[in-house]
Amino acid sequence: MVTTYGQAHGLEVDMADLSFDQLSDKIGPDTRAAVFSLYIDDFDRGIAIARDLKASHPGITTFVGGPHATMVGGQDVLRVTDAFDYVGVGDCLPEAMPIIAEACRGRSLPENRVITGSTFDARMDSLSPDYAIWGADRYFPLFPVEFSRGCRQRCPFCTDPVLRRGLAVDPVERTMRTVEGLVRRHGPICVRFVDSSLSSLGSDLDVLLDALITANLPVTWSAFAYPHDMTLDLASRMAAAGCRAVFMGIETMAQGVRTGKHHTKHPEEIARSVEVLHANGIFVHGNFIIGLPGETPDTVSETLDGLRTVQFDSVGGGPFYLAPGSTFARRPSKFGIDVFDPEWQLRAHQNFYEPIPYFRTATLTQLEMRELATRFQKEVEDSQLGCWNLSDFAVLCWLSIGGDINDLKRLWSARRSDLSDDARHVMDVLKERSTEASSSECRAEDFVALATRVAHVQSVQQSHST
Ligand code: B12
Ligand code: SF4
């Protein structure tokens, strides 16, 4: 969306995906602005890159926006760092892009360094995303598409319902135009619907599914889904419309753990939803959070026992962390959460990977949550309760190059030492264990070509062995 707005303002835009690209390759003598779109997990790295850039190119104006800046708030981002000249909060591109354009044209800029949108109510952008900036050499032919913004559910650990108030749904014709345009340009494609909970969109989703089924496009897709929504009829229409994988936030299978999710009170919904999805050939990743209020070592065991009765294709997750802006963060004491560091929200991005304890629940410290999360992963792997953390995103990457899901599941769970060098490298990158794909010797298109060869070899080997 940032590049779409930039181009619509007549700017010459180049995009650096820092998983693969070097920012230095994108900075030229005429570069006037660098615009960062960051999440919590890459906020620290974004700050470091922006700071280096400002030191080496003092004439460049830096901007930051995205969900983390929105949740922390503009003034607080400016307290955290001086690496950014301007901070965009919320869905503010219509307001921010004229200022970015002024910076590019070397004109004077406003004194107020925080740019906010006209509303925090959920709204779709008036411009449709322009994917043309992505060449065929970008990465897998997998495209993010937004059909809605906001979330109908209100899980207290999550910031999706807080990022935007309410829910906005794109007109189905516009989403279909986006998908049809991608197919015209790229042929068969994979689409990752980025909606917070696509399955919760009720009649709007029905209309989209009908349109996809009628159009019968060569599109394979995945999405976030909510177990309570999942009926046999919905699963079969999703499959008919091209869905091959879903990501379901289960969080826990134990009673008494605070998720705010319907299926925690009605655990039978979990098995039922996996069953109807499997009956329609849809891959199911179940995601878990270890340490939500009410969690104890016994509830983790209860979840593991539950997992022995429900066959997820993939199980993933990690320790609970208090997220800036979430309902838990707004009223911690109501949920028995004790916060030790009054300024924790300013340090949340630094605490993402190596947390210095900043809170605890009534039942667990953060250290205990991490230990339990490690135990959880080990037990899932040792007892083969599903592939560990094989999300729908990796599944779509694999499908997009003609791979077979069962081959991927086998490679994913194999011992590293049993894999060929090529297969090991591909798995490491898909598992985000390796950043080698980002080295200058390995371009995105080379990595995709390697993954395609590995997928092909697997399917040949499988057909020989059967
Ligand atoms: C789809 C999705 C994913 C997908 C795809 C991610 C991807 N990289 O494409 C997957 C499943 C892979 C994923 C992974 C993760 N995600 Co995620 N994800 C989402 C989700 C549901 C939608 C994101 C999206 O594409 N929205 C549509 C775009 C257009 O909106 P947007 O990015 O917010 O941008 C708008 C504004 O922010 C603004 N804007 C954006 N950039 C800029 C820049 C400037 C300068 C300006 C002015 C404005 C601006 O303009 C846009 C509107 O036009 C959001 C929740 C949500 N509903 O937004 C969570 C969300 C963004 N994810 C989140 C997290 C934590 C993660 C992970 C770190 C989880 C983990 N523990 O590993 C990883 C990190 C992945 C990564 N770094 O790439 C958090 C971020 C919280 C935070 N404080 O940053 C969110 C909010 C969910 C949550 N409640 O926890 N995610
Ligand atoms: S966890 Fe999922 S369903 Fe719950 S509020 Fe967040 S996005 Fe919505």
Side-chain angles (χ1 to χ4, degrees), residues 226-240:
Y226 190 76
H228 177 65
D229 304 325
M230 211 42 74
T231 59
L232 187 58
D233 177 56
L234 179 59
S236 80
R237 280 182 301 120
M238 283 167 60

Side-chain angles (χ1 to χ4, degrees), residues 45-126:
R45 185 167 169 233
I47 290 174
I49 293 172
R51 191 174 289 139
D52 287 351
L53 185 66
K54 282 193 80 63
S56 57
H57 296 77
I60 292 182
T61 308
T62 53
F63 294 81
V64 67
H68 194 61
T70 301
M71 287 329 318
V72 172
Q75 292 303 342
D76 277 347
V77 171
L78 294 175
R79 280 177 66 203
V80 170
T81 177
D82 56 7
F84 303 111
D85 297 308
Y86 289 87
V87 185
V89 175
D91 295 342
C92 63
L93 288 170
E95 293 75 16
M97 201 47 72
I99 301 172
I100 296 170
E102 292 295 88
C104 292
R105 292 176 184 127
R107 306 222 178 100
S108 66
L109 297 175
E111 263 174 38
N112 182 0
R113 294 169 60 200
V114 177
I115 310 163
T116 43
S118 59
T119 172
F120 279 91
D121 292 339
R123 61 171 182 185
M124 300 306 290
D125 277 300
S126 54

Side-chain angles (χ1 to χ4, degrees), residues 314-333:
S314 159
V315 173
F320 167 55
Y321 72 94
L322 195 58
S326 60
T327 305
F328 280 155
R330 287 175 178 209
R331 276 168 293 154
S333 55

Side-chain angles (χ1 to χ4, degrees), residues 151 153 155 157-158 160-161 196 226 261:
C151 188
Q153 321 296 347
C155 311
F157 57 86
C158 179
D160 284 25
S196 297
Y226 190 76
K261 294 198 168 185

Side-chain angles (χ1 to χ4, degrees), residues 1 20 210 245 250 289 306 392 438 465:
M1 292 316 302
F20 290 101
D210 286 347
I250 307 294
I289 301 176
D392 61 305
S438 63
S465 64

Side-chain angles (χ1 to χ4, degrees), residues 1-2 5 35-42 63-71 86-94 96 100 115 125 144 146 149-150 157-161 163-164 192-196 224 247 321 323-324 352 392-393 432:
M1 292 316 302
V2 173
Y5 274 87
V35 179
F36 291 77
S37 183
L38 303 173
Y39 289 7
I40 189 169
D41 62 317
D42 46 25
F63 294 81
V64 67
H68 194 61
T70 301
M71 287 329 318
Y86 289 87
V87 185
V89 175
D91 295 342
C92 63
L93 288 170
I100 296 170
I115 310 163
D125 277 300
E146 257 188 306
R149 278 193 188 159
F157 57 86
C158 179
T159 52
D160 284 25
L163 269 170
R164 296 146 178 130
R192 207 311 172 168
F193 282 105
V194 300
D195 308 60
S196 297
F224 292 114
F247 179 122
Y321 72 94
F352 187 77
D392 61 305
F393 185 78
E432 297 177 37

